[in-house]
Amino acid sequence: MLVNAAKEYGLPVEGYRVSTRRGAEVLGVWDGQQFIFIQSDASYNWWNVVKLLWRYGMSPIRTQNLMKKTVGAFLKMYEPEHFPFESLSEKAFELGLTTSTAMTGSQLLTANGINAAFAHDIVQASTRVNYAQNLDQIHGVETMVCMATDGAMNIRGGNWQIFDSMIENSGATLHLNTSVTEIALLADSNKYALKTTAPVLGSDDAQDPAPISTHSAYDAVILAAPLQFTNITFSPPLANPPLTIPYVSLHVTLFTSPHALSSSAFNLPPDSDVPTMILTTTNSNSSNPIPFFSISLLDILSPPPPS
């Protein structure tokens, strides 16, 4: 859907690639005590495959086949004969996805003959970097989506351009830095009125009162945000409000540093190279959990020329 939008708006699409200025991309899976798996893209692809099969048997191939089957069924939901659909649950059942959603990732992998070592070392590292959850905390479809990494791409200059183009081409009126505080049904017209707040222009004081505006009347209102975080009131109250979702708390930190990752922090010999992408998986020491899900070296920056 996003790829088609990028083509429609003439945005330059390019395959995802790492910076060539930092050399080979080295992936490591850290269990809190040691790197249990390391792979470099400087190696021949067939050699990486041979090493995987030697260590994990047929599990990598079985996982790949299961991923193609599961993700293939998922993508069918957006084909013309199935999309748009009135009920996500009914469509998922029709396409056979509910069997996978009814099982955890661990259960799905075990049921399909994928050994515990590959599930722990490789698949769980993928679920943690993508969803910040272990295999016993997410369902089977999510697990398989994590393994579907082929064909990743981005928009040159930033993926935000897709959504910016969508807004521009929709002809809609855009209100930035504006919060909806109330949605009210107008009994006389069966339309909806919205109350919004916006910061006072020219003020840096967060305590300044925000003026309230009323916008009406709308035929329909689409709430494109988790209701539990919006602080929106409804008049009259919703007859069937959605359930509260236990979202994962996740923090992303971006920083620049003149220092490389410390080899001693990862129990490596002095002056050893540390992987440029570090994924994590669980270890047997539950009293000392790993304090991060992943670390990635994004780029190497050159100092600006002297003025």
Side-chain angles (χ1 to χ4, degrees):
M1 188 178 295
L2 296 180
V3 172
N4 290 338
K7 292 179 180 178
E8 180 179 346
Y9 302 135
L11 300 175
V13 177
E14 59 185 9
Y16 175 78
R17 55 185 176 83
V18 298
S19 171
T20 57
R21 288 183 290 181
R22 66 172 191 253
E25 178 84 357
V26 180
L27 169 70
V29 179
W30 170 253
D31 71 352
Q33 299 168 342
Q34 62 181 336
F35 283 106
I36 58 175
F37 179 81
I38 293 179
Q39 177 176 289
S40 173
D41 67 0
S43 303
Y44 290 110
N45 184 60
W46 63 266
W47 180 239
N48 287 330
V49 172
V50 168
K51 290 192 295 183
L52 276 173
L53 295 177
W54 177 262
R55 181 170 181 176
Y56 299 109
M58 294 298 293
S59 289
I61 294 177
R62 289 172 182 159
T63 302
Q64 183 77 357
N65 291 338
L66 180 60
M67 178 275 293
K68 290 180 178 179
K69 176 183 176 182
T70 307
V71 174
F74 177 81
L75 293 177
K76 283 184 179 179
M77 291 197 300
Y78 299 96
E79 294 178 357
E81 61 182 299
H82 299 289
F83 188 84
F85 42 80
E86 294 184 0
S87 170
L88 175 59
S89 298
E90 291 180 3
K91 186 57 62 177
F93 178 79
E94 178 186 337
L95 294 174
L97 289 169
T98 50
T99 301
S100 298
T101 57
M103 293 191 285
T104 66
S106 297
Q107 293 169 335
L108 179 67
L109 295 173
T110 300
N112 285 272
I114 295 157
N115 67 43
F118 186 75
H120 171 268
D121 297 355
I122 306 301
V123 183
Q124 183 162 261
S126 296
T127 65
R128 286 171 62 85
V129 70
N130 284 287
Y131 293 121
Q133 295 182 85
N134 296 326
L135 280 173
D136 59 355
Q137 298 171 312
I138 64 174
H139 61 62
V141 173
E142 287 176 303
T143 301
M144 290 297 99
V145 168
C146 285
M147 303 305 294
T149 58
D150 292 341
M153 58 183 59
N154 58 268
I155 304 300
R156 189 180 307 123
N159 293 342
W160 62 269
Q161 296 172 88
I162 297 177
F163 312 104
D164 185 66
S165 298
M166 286 179 174
I167 293 173
E168 182 178 350
N169 284 270
S170 71
T173 301
L174 177 63
H175 298 273
L176 296 175
N177 300 318
T178 302
S179 300
V180 176
T181 59
E182 181 180 348
I183 301 175
L185 178 63
L186 304 175
D188 56 340
S189 62
N190 208 33
K191 294 181 181 292
Y192 297 92
L194 273 60
K195 286 186 178 180
T196 63
T197 61
V200 178
L201 294 177
S203 173
D204 295 327
D205 188 354
Q207 301 300 319
D208 278 356
I212 298 177
S213 301
T214 301
H215 305 273
S216 60
Y218 298 99
D219 296 323
V221 176
I222 298 174
L223 184 63
L227 180 61
Q228 66 203 60
F229 301 134
T230 62
N231 295 320
I232 296 175
T233 58
F234 293 85
S235 179
L238 293 177
N240 296 293
L243 298 175
T244 298
I245 305 297
Y247 286 97
V248 173
S249 296
L250 182 65
H251 301 275
V252 178
T253 304
L254 300 174
F255 64 93
T256 58
S257 171
H259 305 288
L261 291 173
S262 170
S263 58
S264 62
F266 295 97
N267 299 330
L268 294 172
D271 300 324
S272 296
D273 291 332
V274 180
T276 55
M277 177 178 290
I278 301 173
L279 308 185
T280 61
T281 190
T282 52
N283 57 54
S284 57
N285 188 1
S286 59
S287 63
N288 187 29
I290 302 172
F292 63 90
F293 288 101
S294 68
I295 299 176
S296 296
L297 176 61
L298 300 179
D299 205 349
I300 295 178
L301 304 178
S302 301
S307 56

